[in-house]
Amino acid sequence: MERIPRRGALALFAAGAALPVSGCARSSTRGGVAHGDAGSLQWWDHFDPLKSALTGLFDEFEGNVGVAVERTVYNPDSMGQALQLAEGSDQLPDVFTNFFGAPSAALVDRGTVAPVELSDEARRGLEGSLFEGVHTFDGKIFTVPIFSHRQNSTLTWANSRLLEKAGHDAENLPSTWDDFRTLCRDLVASGTDHPWVAPLAHSDRMQEHLVDLAQSAGQSLAMVGSSGNGITDARTGDFPFASEAFLEAFAFLHSLITDGFMLPASTSLDAREARVRWASGEAAFFFDGPWNAGVLNGQFGEFMEDVRVSGPPSPDGRGLTARPPADGQFWCAGRSQRREEVGELFSLLTRSEFAVALAENMDQPPADPHALDRAEVPALYSLAVRLLEKNVRTAPSPVVRNPAVGSVIAEMNDIRPDLGDIIQGYLGGDIDDLGKELTRFNDRLSTERDRAIDVVNDAGGGVSVQDWIFEEYRSGDDFDVTDY
Amino acid sequence: MTSMSRTTEPRAARGAPRSAGEVAVAKRRRPSLWIYVFLAPTVVLFGMYTVWPSISSLVYSTLEWRGLGLERSFTGLENYRRLLADPLFWKSLWITLLIIVVTVPLRVTAGLLLALVLNNPRLPLAGLLRTAFFVPVVATTAIVGFVMGFVLDPSAGPINEALSILGVGPVDFLGSSRTSLWAVMGVHVWKWLGVTLIYWLAALQTVPRELLEAAETDGAGPAARLRHVTLPLLRPFAVIIVVLTVIETMQIFDLVVTMTGGGPFFSTLATEVYIYDTAFGAARPDLGYASAIGVAFGVLTVLLMVVLTLVMRLARRRQEER
Amino acid sequence: MTTTQAQEPSRDLHARREPGRTRRRPVSDPRARGRGRRRIGRWAQTLVVGALGLLWIYPLLWVLAASFKDSLDIFSGGLGLLPDSWHPENYLRAWRDANFSGYMMNTVLITAGSIVLVVVRCAMAGYVIARFRFLGRRVVLAVLVATMFIPTGLFVVPVVELSDLLGLLNTRTGLVLAIAGGGNVAAVLLYVGFFSRVPKELEEAAVMDGAGFLRVFFRVMLPLSGPVTATVVVLTFLSSWNNFFLPLVFTFSTPQNRTLAVGMMAFQGTNSTDWAGLAAAASISLVPIVLLFLLLQRYFVEGIAGAVKN
């Protein structure tokens, strides 16, 4: 390693001076197909908070198998491009997180990902939690869920000191939209000029907020993923964005702005910046997922004791939301030459020790709900996760019913303005007639889906709009693997 | 310093060696092989890394291509048909044009004014001051986006605090679609003014001191010297500085991506941002369409440049006639 | 006109010979007073421009200050410069944990390689284009100028495909070639402009002395081009130091080859950003450039003076 720079430098000067460039100046082993250094297994993900959980896992794996894991963490903003460019140049690592923007079914179809062989113990542990079309394809296991699907991004996080200053009991956070607005008014009166901060510039996160709020207002959804083209009305199979519940959710967010409760800077903040603004005491409320506790604990430890959390505010005060079965996070590259080792690595992901380590990383909640009992985590994180366990339901997923739905969604072109654009446009005052805009968006999505269905069926897919309809499903229910 | 600026002046670039003597000398030395040897690195590398990608883009733009490593299928002019009907493409062109029309003159004139002051060797601390204006040029975009978030903040940012003293505001610079483009342009000018300043400083080195002194002896004041000596001598440089500045301005995209991501509601969606978004940022990457936008944008830019050059040449000729 | 300029010493050198200049004028009171007023005027100018400059650079001074703060302090401290408490460990985090020492080395190597390659190839091309008529000259020039305005945002895709084909992907050589190989039309044109104005006598004299083609170029012409080279160095430096996409793509399988700009990415995580670490990293990558500029700025001036003397 020490000598590499010198060799590199010589090569550069040789190249610069005369340009007889051959491939002689490789400063390290050629990557080629996903096998990096002779000894190591390449692993890319975008979960920087999982460092310690994964490091422990990798150490154990190296002890067992004798293969080191070289992990690269990407910023989620560049993960997608990195994967695309890597795939284009045949450089995918052995393991990666699916940030392609394409549903898993598409990756399976084109051979980007390969099935893995899990240990018997792991298979037994996963019974009942693997879904065809999500984790298994043609009965073969491709990935394992490590996170619970019982989560959302719209927990209410509050700064208790500001609440107390407004004469409010911080242990008792507002559960309805009206309470929330009333409390904001009190906060303004007590000197917190702008009680609520939101990541308005972060369109993915705002979509999640909106969907969570619409669900809490009674919208029943069938979902593939948690945002974008994969969200449909469970009962009709249509795109739901102009429904009453969505309009109410829009109206709630909008009222927070028109009443002046939103920190003005919100319009240009992403979630990371909004969190810090909230943690520094500029605003009292911030909607975020359970990982908020983990980030606070890591960066703003002293602030933790002033933080309170409750479920998303909702019209009825129950704050029920739903998410489809959790995706698997890690996938094995189709051209990996270490599939066997990856299988062993994935088996380790299913063990309860890993779930505990995962819980202790305080990111998304672990798939195994019991892990929390044995994990040493601040009460705030446990509380957030338990709230989610109680109030997040399992939404039906059309992909589970018919994996070809994934291909349809992959085939659909982006419609701009998309939901995120519309949220930004409406909350920012660029869209006046919201109903009209949303109806148009629904229509364009439907047309695009019809086209995509035709394309997929022409290729022998066998999909129909019926696959999106779950008439019997009611919001607030769990749609289990046996219900399909 | 004569060098830098004259150089790219079209005439110099186009012109053959002016003296027959040079060619004669060259001929005597049997140089023709050497000529091609000297040219080879540039031709080969340029062919590999500029011409080839340009041609590739042209080919890509006729493909339905959903991402690297995926199948590509030929669709003819379908992407271009879609392009013509895409309101976002036209909007992005308009935004790009607006950015160029606003920031280029601003940078060129502000750069000139600053250069005139900072060019004075007797000005105390001139070197340090030049550096101050130059540093933002080299600051990483990620960090620029981060700092400017604070500077432009509507609740606590210093600009808004200053405005509130004047009884104006608060202005939501980056968060409102009415102001975001202007804010981005402002930051762009802030970041890149230093380069234009350097160009002008270089150009100013070519103004012969004697001419200025002679003018001074003839009783011309600073303003008159500027107007009748310096500025006329700088005029040829203006063209090349404008061209360089326009080229740089077209690469505004990483700044926009960091600061606003093209939003709010497409208000800062410059064409390069749109290309990038379509190719890499979208949920469903679309390299074929992104290439089509790129090609169309490139063709339009080259056309615009040709027209501008013609206009400028015409203007110059008319001036010479007078 | 060129020659007049060429004989004109640079202003900064001239400044030091101030007394010589004043001798030409009769020393009379009103003029002396005028000079005094002018000096005050200059200080006033410095003050005004200095204030503007301070305003200009303040955001970056703030970044420098932020690199010593902790993350909460960065956000709650507004635009104040002084940290509540000092956290030099941010630098340790960036330098050691985030491997910025390695990234720095890579960036320096890659930038240096790109600069050498660009200077040599552009000077060579500019020289022959400027001073010789040959078959294809106009075509080369036309292609160069035409490609100046093509948006290059998508070039990364074909460049990656090509580099992969040639086995250059994942190598620093390949990266240098990709950075220095494309574009740089401005650099070529700068050299064309410069070399076309070098007086032919210089070349003829060298030829009389028996110098061959290579010798004329490397011993006479290239050294003359100091000021252009300085400019080209600065422009190339800027573009390759901050280049993000190409280094990203060329280091997928070889993280140890990453550059500062790519390494910066490590501070921005899924849910949180290590702002203090990022600020430290940004400061680390900024300081060398500022120093280089301060140095090259002098070189600009002296380069001209040197070119003139020969």
Side-chain angles (χ1 to χ4, degrees):
Chain A
M1 184 66 208
E2 284 291 74
R3 293 180 47 211
I4 288 168
R6 276 222 338 259
R7 269 184 60 204
L10 284 176
L12 293 185
F13 283 111
L19 283 155
V21 184
S22 59
C24 63
R26 290 196 188 125
S27 39
S28 104
T29 329
R30 169 105 201 280
V33 187
H35 42 68
D37 284 342
S40 72
L41 187 154
Q42 299 287 317
W43 171 294
W44 292 3
D45 66 61
H46 59 279
F47 296 111
D48 63 318
L50 299 192
K51 188 171 177 204
S52 67
L54 285 176
T55 309
L57 186 86
F58 294 160
D59 288 349
E60 190 184 347
F61 174 74
E62 194 176 352
N64 294 348
V65 185
V67 176
V69 179
E70 197 174 317
R71 178 178 183 232
T72 306
V73 185
Y74 280 92
N75 167 350
D77 302 337
S78 44
M79 180 88 190
Q81 295 133 37
L83 283 172
Q84 271 193 53
L85 290 165
E87 188 183 22
S89 53
D90 219 359
Q91 300 190 80
L92 280 179
D94 300 281
V95 177
F96 54 86
T97 46
N98 178 10
F99 231 73
F100 274 101
S104 334
L107 298 187
V108 174
D109 279 350
R110 66 193 205 219
T112 306
V113 293
V116 290
E117 204 60 50
L118 297 185
S119 69
D120 295 341
E121 186 198 348
R123 284 167 169 281
R124 274 196 302 278
L126 286 169
E127 255 164 53
S129 54
L130 294 187
F131 290 81
E132 176 70 17
V134 179
H135 312 101
T136 67
F137 296 85
D138 281 337
K140 293 195 204 100
I141 299 177
F142 278 72
T143 184
V144 297
I146 63 166
F147 296 129
S148 166
H149 70 281
R150 295 190 196 276
Q151 53 168 307
N152 64 42
S153 317
T154 318
L155 294 171
T156 309
W157 296 84
N159 180 332
S160 66
R161 267 200 280 182
L162 296 179
L163 259 61
E164 277 154 14
K165 210 170 105 194
H168 195 275
D169 174 14
E171 306 309 318
N172 193 4
L173 295 183
S175 59
T176 69
W177 290 353
D178 287 335
D179 289 350
F180 191 84
R181 280 185 287 239
T182 312
L183 183 50
C184 282
R185 204 158 290 133
D186 295 347
L187 279 159
V188 173
S190 71
T192 307
D193 292 343
H194 304 291
W196 177 63
V197 61
L200 246 60
H202 189 164
S203 91
D204 290 347
R205 181 55 54 81
M206 290 308 294
Q207 283 187 55
E208 290 174 24
H209 286 337
L210 184 79
V211 170
D212 288 335
L213 291 171
Q215 285 180 328
S216 81
Q219 176 72 52
S220 76
L221 295 175
M223 303 172 86
V224 180
S226 61
S227 62
N229 306 346
I231 294 174
T232 43
D233 186 321
R235 267 174 273 181
T236 63
D238 293 331
F239 290 98
F241 303 112
S243 76
E244 203 173 309
F246 268 98
L247 287 174
E248 282 173 23
F250 266 110
F252 170 61
L253 292 175
H254 196 248
S255 73
L256 295 178
I257 297 173
T258 49
D259 291 349
F261 297 150
M262 183 183 73
L263 187 75
S266 297
T267 47
S268 48
L269 300 179
D270 67 18
R272 297 175 291 221
E273 293 157 336
R275 178 182 300 108
V276 187
R277 299 293 285 259
W278 167 72
S280 66
E282 280 187 67
F285 291 119
F286 174 54
F287 295 141
D288 200 4
W291 48 82
N292 189 29
V295 182
L296 293 179
N297 194 49
Q299 288 195 312
F300 314 106
E302 66 273 35
F303 178 53
M304 287 284 273
E305 61 185 71
D306 296 331
V307 177
R308 302 293 180 270
V309 62
S310 72
S314 61
D316 62 4
R318 294 209 296 163
L320 297 184
T321 61
R323 290 282 167 103
D327 282 330
Q329 302 299 335
F330 305 113
W331 299 81
C332 176
R335 306 192 55 178
S336 167
Q337 292 167 5
R338 296 191 170 278
R339 277 205 239 172
E340 208 173 304
E341 287 93 334
V342 173
E344 293 191 42
L345 197 48
F346 281 12
S347 300
L348 293 179
L349 292 175
T350 66
R351 298 199 317 179
S352 59
E353 288 89 335
F354 180 67
V356 172
L358 207 55
E360 287 175 349
N361 272 177
M362 294 186 282
D363 195 53
Q364 299 181 49
D368 176 3
H370 306 298
L372 214 58
D373 304 332
R374 288 185 289 138
E376 286 181 31
V377 291
L380 194 62
Y381 180 73
S382 320
L383 180 60
V385 174
R386 296 205 193 290
L387 275 168
L388 292 168
E389 254 172 58
K390 205 172 86 197
N391 293 329
V392 181
R393 303 293 189 251
T394 312
S397 165
V399 174
V400 176
R401 178 186 276 161
N402 180 358
V405 164
S407 311
V408 172
I409 293 173
E411 172 63 32
M412 285 173 69
N413 280 323
D414 282 339
I415 304 286
R416 300 294 290 268
D418 60 22
L419 186 59
D421 297 326
I422 295 175
I423 296 171
Q424 206 178 34
Y426 177 62
L427 298 183
D430 293 302
I431 294 176
D432 296 325
D433 193 340
L434 179 66
K436 194 173 125 210
E437 189 72 36
L438 289 171
T439 309
R440 196 171 74 104
F441 181 55
N442 283 342
D443 293 345
R444 293 175 74 198
L445 276 175
S446 296
T447 313
E448 184 58 25
R449 183 173 64 177
D450 290 343
R451 187 195 65 80
I453 289 176
D454 288 345
V455 172
V456 171
N457 284 340
D458 285 349
V463 200
S464 80
V465 177
Q466 286 300 314
D467 291 323
W468 274 267
I469 301 177
F470 299 83
E471 268 178 80
E472 65 283 22
Y473 178 69
R474 291 290 169 270
S475 120
D477 290 350
D478 273 334
F479 200 87
D480 292 323
V481 71
T482 50
D483 294 327
Y484 284 93
Chain B
M1 215 24 76
T2 50
S3 54
M4 113 123 247
S5 349
R6 298 240 37 180
T7 52
T8 0
E9 192 191 346
R11 205 179 315 153
R14 243 185 320 113
R18 275 150 203 182
S19 102
E22 288 164 42
V23 177
V25 169
K27 281 220 177 100
R28 237 179 293 136
R29 308 298 309 170
R30 196 178 43 84
S32 67
L33 183 65
W34 280 118
I35 291 177
Y36 292 105
V37 169
F38 266 44
L39 218 50
T42 292
V43 169
V44 170
L45 288 174
F46 197 73
M48 283 167 66
Y49 293 108
T50 301
V51 178
W52 161 254
S54 310
I55 297 170
S56 301
S57 299
L58 208 58
V59 175
Y60 296 164
S61 72
T62 63
L63 302 177
E64 153 101 18
W65 186 18
R66 291 313 180 148
L68 287 156
L70 292 186
E71 255 177 57
R72 322 166 180 190
S73 55
F74 182 73
T75 60
L77 296 177
E78 169 60 25
N79 285 323
Y80 289 99
R81 200 193 52 74
R82 192 174 143 199
L83 181 88
L84 291 176
D86 181 357
L88 280 185
F89 170 67
W90 297 108
K91 179 165 178 140
S92 79
L93 277 186
W94 164 244
I95 289 171
T96 307
L97 191 68
L98 194 63
I99 292 175
I100 290 177
V101 169
V102 174
T103 64
V104 172
L106 202 62
R107 270 174 65 189
V108 172
T109 46
L112 176 59
L113 286 179
L114 263 181
L116 286 171
V117 177
L118 292 177
N119 190 48
N120 186 343
R122 279 164 290 165
L123 188 77
L125 304 179
L128 206 61
L129 289 174
R130 290 176 196 181
T131 311
F133 287 101
F134 184 74
V135 175
V137 174
V138 293
T140 321
T141 328
I143 213 76
V144 168
F146 171 48
V147 185
M148 285 303 160
F150 277 95
V151 172
L152 298 170
D153 192 288
S155 350
I159 295 188
N160 268 307
E161 286 190 358
L163 284 178
S164 76
I165 295 172
L166 300 174
V168 188
V171 181
D172 187 1
F173 288 105
L174 289 174
S176 156
S177 56
R178 278 180 300 279
T179 49
S180 56
L181 185 59
W182 302 100
V184 169
M185 288 198 262
V187 175
H188 176 76
V189 170
W190 171 77
K191 182 161 167 35
W192 292 105
L193 182 66
V195 167
T196 321
L197 169 69
I198 300 297
Y199 294 155
W200 278 123
L201 280 172
L204 278 169
Q205 309 301 315
T206 64
V207 177
R209 187 101 207 142
E210 279 106 13
L211 271 182
L212 289 174
E213 278 170 11
E216 195 177 356
T217 327
D218 292 347
R225 284 200 302 269
L226 183 66
R227 185 148 167 242
H228 296 293
V229 182
T230 310
L231 288 185
L233 283 173
L234 287 181
R235 192 173 300 133
F237 298 101
V239 178
I240 176 63
I241 292 179
V242 166
V243 168
L244 286 173
T245 308
V246 169
I247 294 177
E248 283 160 16
T249 307
M250 300 204 317
Q251 271 135 39
I252 193 174
F253 100 103
D254 57 341
L255 187 69
V256 177
V257 168
T258 327
M259 291 185 63
T260 63
F265 208 62
F266 312 116
S267 55
T268 54
L269 192 79
T271 309
E272 284 250 330
V273 181
Y274 191 37
I275 295 173
Y276 171 87
D277 227 32
T278 312
F280 301 111
R284 199 174 168 225
D286 197 339
L287 287 169
Y289 189 49
S291 302
I293 306 175
V295 170
F297 183 48
V299 168
L300 286 175
T301 318
V302 172
L303 278 182
L304 184 74
M305 281 300 149
V306 170
V307 171
L308 275 183
T309 319
L310 288 179
V311 168
M312 269 194 263
R313 195 172 295 165
L314 212 69
R316 200 183 307 161
R317 195 167 303 159
R318 192 173 295 167
Q319 209 155 29
E320 276 163 16
E321 277 164 14
R322 245 191 275 154
Chain C
M1 160 155 183
T2 319
T3 34
T4 351
Q5 288 163 21
Q7 278 147 13
E8 175 61 32
S10 96
R11 236 83 46 57
D12 279 20
L13 294 184
H14 207 107
R16 275 174 237 141
R17 278 190 245 118
E18 183 92 353
R21 224 184 112 238
T22 43
R23 226 187 318 150
R24 263 188 265 143
R25 297 200 189 112
V27 186
S28 69
D29 281 343
R31 296 226 177 194
R33 238 188 297 141
R35 273 207 307 284
R37 243 199 331 262
R38 242 173 289 155
R39 192 169 305 131
I40 293 169
R42 281 197 295 274
W43 273 106
Q45 278 182 0
T46 295
L47 221 60
V48 171
V49 179
L52 191 64
L54 195 66
L55 216 61
W56 213 255
I57 205 176
Y58 192 88
L60 294 169
L61 290 179
W62 183 83
V63 171
L64 192 65
S67 68
F68 290 102
K69 298 178 179 176
D70 67 25
S71 283
L72 199 58
D73 191 9
I74 290 179
F75 280 83
S76 58
L79 280 179
L81 286 187
L82 275 186
D84 283 347
S85 56
W86 291 84
H87 295 271
E89 73 273 9
N90 293 335
Y91 280 89
L92 204 63
R93 208 160 61 238
W95 188 252
R96 210 186 44 202
D97 302 353
N99 192 26
F100 265 59
S101 49
Y103 296 158
M104 176 68 92
M105 187 68 188
N106 292 330
T107 312
V108 167
L109 282 178
I110 287 161
T111 305
S114 307
I115 290 175
V116 170
L117 185 52
V118 168
V119 165
V120 171
R121 86 161 169 88
C122 293
M124 294 200 312
Y127 174 60
V128 293
I129 292 175
R131 299 192 78 87
F132 301 95
R133 267 180 209 280
F134 55 88
L135 194 66
R137 183 173 170 278
R138 276 173 173 272
V139 178
V140 170
L141 260 177
V143 171
L144 284 177
V145 174
T147 50
M148 258 177 120
F149 298 102
I150 294 182
T152 53
L154 280 181
F155 279 14
V156 66
V157 174
V159 164
V160 165
E161 287 188 328
L162 184 73
S163 303
D164 195 26
L165 210 67
L166 298 176
L168 290 167
L169 210 55
N170 291 315
T171 69
R172 277 187 280 212
T173 315
L175 178 53
V176 168
L177 287 176
I179 291 175
N184 291 301
V185 178
V188 177
L189 295 183
L190 287 178
Y191 279 111
V192 170
F194 177 80
F195 285 128
S196 67
R197 273 179 285 106
V198 173
K200 64 177 186 286
E201 290 80 9
L202 278 175
E203 205 174 15
E204 279 164 355
V207 172
M208 294 298 178
D209 294 345
F213 188 93
L214 284 179
R215 214 179 144 79
V216 170
F217 176 71
F218 283 107
R219 288 295 166 81
V220 181
M221 300 308 255
L222 196 57
L224 273 182
S225 69
V228 188
T229 303
T231 312
V232 172
V233 166
V234 169
L235 291 179
T236 315
F237 187 96
L238 285 180
S239 66
S240 75
W241 189 266
N242 282 329
N243 200 320
F244 176 74
F245 248 120
L246 285 170
L248 175 74
V249 181
F250 273 77
T251 56
F252 278 147
S253 325
T254 48
Q256 69 274 19
N257 280 358
R258 290 203 175 131
T259 61
L260 291 170
V262 178
M264 211 79 83
M265 191 174 76
F267 292 99
Q268 288 165 297
T270 322
N271 294 324
S272 64
T273 297
D274 178 359
W275 297 113
L278 188 65
S283 304
I284 289 174
S285 68
L286 208 55
V287 168
I289 317 195
V290 174
L291 289 181
L292 187 93
F293 181 75
L294 277 170
L295 286 176
L296 271 187
Q297 192 185 344
R298 246 180 65 214
Y299 178 77
F300 268 137
V301 174
E302 280 167 11
I304 308 154
V308 168
K309 262 180 236 144
N310 292 329

